[in-house]
């Protein structure tokens, strides 16, 4: 699995020149979109199939600051996949050093907001996500 790369933009930094902490959530989303596209289940495909996958929880543990023009590599691993829930782990590195570790949890809903059991309704998606379990 290819890591997602994000080059820190000037506007993503604060007055001290450090990447503002709120941007890491956006970086996670960018990496998640890329990850799902790489496994063949991008958001466009999921939505065409009638699935939405909202974030239900997110956490970040900052280890090292990043600044303008730094390139952050983001590796994603599936921590947990169940019938209703997906938990992803993110490791963000810069020049080989861990800058941030993070996690996001997602559920699966149909377009009416009702839970979807992906293991039964979308077994190929479920199987694909299982391939990337830690």
């Amino acid at each position: 699995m290819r890591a997602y790369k994000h080059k820190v933009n000037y506007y993503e930094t604060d007055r001290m020149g450090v990447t503002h902490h709120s941007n890491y959530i956006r970086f996670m989303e960018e990496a998640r979109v890329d990850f799902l596209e790489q496994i063949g289940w991008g958001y466009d495909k999921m939505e065409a199939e009638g699935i939405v996958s909202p974030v239900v929880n997110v956490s970040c543990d900052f280890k090292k600051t990043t600044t303008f023009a730094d390139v952050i590599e983001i590796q994603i691993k599936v921590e947990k996949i169940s019938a209703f829930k997906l938990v992803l782990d993110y490791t963000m590195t810069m020049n080989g050093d861990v800058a941030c570790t993070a996690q996001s949890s997602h559920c699966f809903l149909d377009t009416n907001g009702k839970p979807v059991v992906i293991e039964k309704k979308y077994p190929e998606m479920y199987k694909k996500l299982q391939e990337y379990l830690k």
Side-chain angles (χ1 to χ4, degrees), residues 1-4 28-47 51-55 74 76-78 81 86-88 90 104 106-108 118 124-126 128-130 132:
M1 178 66 52
R2 171 182 46 79
Y4 177 76
M28 291 165 64
E29 182 173 355
E30 292 172 11
R32 184 171 58 254
V33 167
D34 182 66
F35 170 77
L36 291 170
E37 287 175 356
Q38 286 187 62
I39 68 168
W41 279 92
Y43 277 103
D44 53 347
K45 180 176 180 175
M46 282 197 304
E47 289 177 1
I51 309 170
V52 293
S53 183
V55 174
I74 306 170
I76 293 183
K77 296 202 174 164
V78 177
I81 180 70
L86 171 65
V87 179
L88 298 173
Y90 306 77
S104 64
H106 309 263
C107 65
F108 298 98
I118 63 162
E124 59 283 339
M125 178 184 180
Y126 183 79
K128 196 63 163 171
L129 287 166
Q130 279 190 315
Y132 293 94

Side-chain angles (χ1 to χ4, degrees), residues 30-98:
E30 292 172 11
R32 184 171 58 254
V33 167
D34 182 66
F35 170 77
L36 291 170
E37 287 175 356
Q38 286 187 62
I39 68 168
W41 279 92
Y43 277 103
D44 53 347
K45 180 176 180 175
M46 282 197 304
E47 289 177 1
E49 292 283 337
I51 309 170
V52 293
S53 183
V55 174
V56 295
N57 187 38
V58 66
S59 64
C60 292
D61 189 12
F62 303 103
K63 308 284 188 185
K64 183 178 180 177
T65 59
T66 60
T67 58
F68 171 64
D70 286 341
V71 176
I72 302 170
E73 288 194 18
I74 306 170
Q75 192 67 49
I76 293 183
K77 296 202 174 164
V78 177
E79 171 65 28
K80 179 181 177 184
I81 180 70
S82 68
F84 296 103
K85 189 175 184 181
L86 171 65
V87 179
L88 298 173
D89 285 342
Y90 306 77
T91 303
M92 302 181 208
T93 58
M94 182 193 60
N95 298 325
D97 295 326
V98 176

Side-chain angles (χ1 to χ4, degrees), residues 3-49:
Y4 177 76
K5 293 181 182 181
H6 178 87
K7 185 175 181 180
V8 177
N9 295 293
Y10 185 76
Y11 70 85
E12 294 170 326
T13 62
D14 61 19
R15 188 171 181 187
M16 297 177 290
V18 174
T19 306
H20 192 270
H21 66 277
S22 65
N23 288 300
Y24 287 86
I25 305 299
R26 288 184 34 254
F27 302 162
M28 291 165 64
E29 182 173 355
E30 292 172 11
R32 184 171 58 254
V33 167
D34 182 66
F35 170 77
L36 291 170
E37 287 175 356
Q38 286 187 62
I39 68 168
W41 279 92
Y43 277 103
D44 53 347
K45 180 176 180 175
M46 282 197 304
E47 289 177 1
E49 292 283 337

